[in-house]
Amino acid sequence: MILTKLLLNIDNISIIFKAQAKYFRLLKVLQGHRGRVNTVRFSPDGCKIVSSSDDGTVRIWDIELGKQIRNFEGHSDWVYGAKFSPDGRNVISCSRDNTIRLWDVKSGKEVMQLKGDVEPIWDVDFSSDGKYIVSVSFDCVIRLWDVSSWKAIKTLGSHLERVHNIQFSPDNQKVVSSSEDKTIGLWDITSGTRLKELKGHSNLVICAKFSPDGQYIVSCSWDSTIRIWDVESGNELKKFRGHSIIMNEIKYFPDGQTIVSCSKDQTIRLWDVQSGCEIQKLEGHSNDVPGVDVSPDGNTIVSGSYDKTIRIWG
């Protein structure tokens, strides 16, 4: 019996290492922000990174050169988030100054400013076809914007407390939201109604993201757990933990077999989806790590920290 259990454990470890053959190491440290770095995102081609910061700026970095190539200035307060458009030509950002701004990557100029929300805007996301933007603000409301007209066209709904993140599903038919009310919302874009409310976390939910195929959602919370949910049924499938304190962001790798998370414990961690086991822990930041992302090919990780640095791992 003991020998059988031992062999099973060895097989599980073997499966984990086969699923995540790459071992990540620190490649570069990017410096330039004068304030805390809140989010970091890869460009669609994986060659650049966009970052947002409490210093009120949005910056673009060339990964190969390891240096800043654009600095967008215009926000009058902390910038909570910034992302590339699906074609990589623009960057969208949101801020505590209650605005959403669109920037031209090539010229470095501001293209459009939206001020439809009455509260600071916590997060924004592009649909994969680039036609729509979804935003969440401190007023707990989820809004859908039309890119061609730059107008808010629909309110999808709201949470009981502030919403921390929002993301389109891969097919652009749904969005997922995470909230301080300890729930995850799944919303229908066409009808604007809530399809499901995922409950289970015992503290505020900081982040919820779709799997690459759209069949699952992974979430992280201040209860220090990572949970995987089935989109169709709304059921919780798995729960695992490892970070010593609250987590800030989580995301699937492109292959859907690995998850990356970051935390106030100053680490970035990789997890095997099937077993829930921690694969690797990346250390080096000297403060809270609120933002992490994975390159489109899955070979590079970027992290941003309150220590004002951006780190590239590969």
Side-chain angles (χ1 to χ4, degrees):
M1 178 67 73
I2 295 174
L3 179 59
T4 301
K5 288 183 178 179
L6 179 61
L7 291 172
L8 286 173
N9 287 336
I10 292 172
D11 287 342
N12 287 337
I13 292 170
S14 176
I15 290 170
I16 292 170
F17 278 100
K18 285 178 182 177
Q20 179 60 39
K22 184 176 177 63
Y23 186 84
F24 288 87
R25 295 176 175 83
L26 180 64
L27 301 179
K28 294 173 183 176
V29 178
L30 309 180
Q31 295 178 294
H33 279 295
R34 301 181 303 277
R36 301 182 300 184
V37 179
N38 294 318
T39 60
V40 283
R41 293 287 184 273
F42 281 97
S43 59
D45 62 8
C47 296
K48 295 181 285 294
I49 294 163
V50 63
S51 58
S52 65
S53 170
D54 283 359
D55 64 14
T57 68
V58 176
R59 306 186 186 214
I60 295 180
W61 311 78
D62 184 284
I63 296 175
E64 184 175 353
L65 297 177
K67 69 176 186 179
Q68 177 186 304
I69 57 174
R70 281 281 181 270
N71 181 16
F72 302 130
E73 296 184 345
H75 283 293
S76 60
D77 212 325
W78 297 350
V79 185
Y80 289 130
K83 297 174 183 176
F84 282 95
S85 60
D87 60 12
R89 296 178 181 177
N90 299 105
V91 162
I92 194 166
S93 60
C94 58
S95 168
R96 197 166 73 165
D97 67 8
N98 302 356
T99 68
I100 299 171
R101 300 180 189 230
L102 187 75
W103 311 86
D104 183 87
V105 171
K106 187 175 181 179
S107 69
K109 295 181 179 179
E110 183 180 310
V111 177
M112 183 64 63
Q113 180 183 148
L114 306 176
K115 204 174 177 66
D117 290 50
V118 295
E119 299 282 348
I121 301 165
W122 200 275
D123 194 22
V124 290
D125 192 34
F126 267 108
S127 59
S128 61
D129 57 13
K131 293 181 179 180
Y132 302 100
I133 292 168
V134 67
S135 69
V136 291
S137 64
F138 279 26
D139 64 4
C140 311
V141 176
I142 301 168
R143 293 179 173 86
L144 185 69
W145 305 78
D146 181 81
V147 171
S148 60
S149 65
W150 291 109
K151 292 182 179 179
I153 57 174
K154 189 177 295 183
T155 297
L156 299 184
S158 64
H159 280 269
L160 297 177
E161 296 185 45
R162 289 191 299 186
V163 186
H164 277 263
N165 96 283
I166 193 79
Q167 185 197 32
F168 276 99
S169 60
D171 63 4
N172 298 321
Q173 299 302 304
K174 297 179 284 292
V175 295
V176 64
S177 58
S178 63
S179 171
E180 291 184 8
D181 65 13
K182 305 177 186 178
T183 70
I184 298 159
L186 190 64
W187 310 84
D188 181 82
I189 289 293
T190 303
S191 66
T193 59
R194 178 158 51 194
L195 299 171
K196 289 182 175 66
E197 186 177 53
L198 311 182
K199 295 182 178 181
H201 282 293
S202 60
N203 207 328
L204 60 88
V205 187
I206 290 293
C207 186
K209 299 283 182 70
F210 283 103
S211 60
D213 61 10
Q215 295 182 26
Y216 306 99
I217 289 169
V218 65
S219 61
C220 65
S221 163
W222 278 19
D223 65 13
S224 300
T225 67
I226 295 170
R227 302 181 190 226
I228 296 177
W229 312 78
D230 180 77
V231 170
E232 183 66 27
S233 68
N235 294 331
E236 179 185 309
L237 302 178
K238 295 180 182 179
K239 177 175 70 175
F240 41 98
R241 64 175 71 237
H243 285 286
S244 59
I245 48 179
I246 60 177
M247 284 174 283
N248 293 317
E249 190 166 26
I250 197 159
K251 185 176 183 178
Y252 277 94
F253 270 64
D255 63 6
Q257 301 304 306
T258 308
I259 290 167
V260 63
S261 62
C262 61
S263 168
K264 193 177 179 65
D265 67 11
Q266 304 177 17
T267 70
I268 299 100
R269 305 191 189 210
L270 279 66
W271 310 84
D272 176 71
V273 170
Q274 292 301 317
S275 68
C277 292
E278 181 182 309
I279 300 169
Q280 189 181 356
K281 179 168 64 175
L282 306 179
E283 298 177 286
H285 283 294
S286 59
N287 208 327
D288 191 341
V289 185
V292 68
D293 197 19
V294 184
S295 62
D297 63 8
N299 290 326
T300 311
I301 294 171
V302 62
S303 57
S305 171
Y306 284 0
D307 65 15
K308 303 178 185 179
T309 70
I310 296 166
R311 295 179 182 247
I312 300 173
W313 315 80

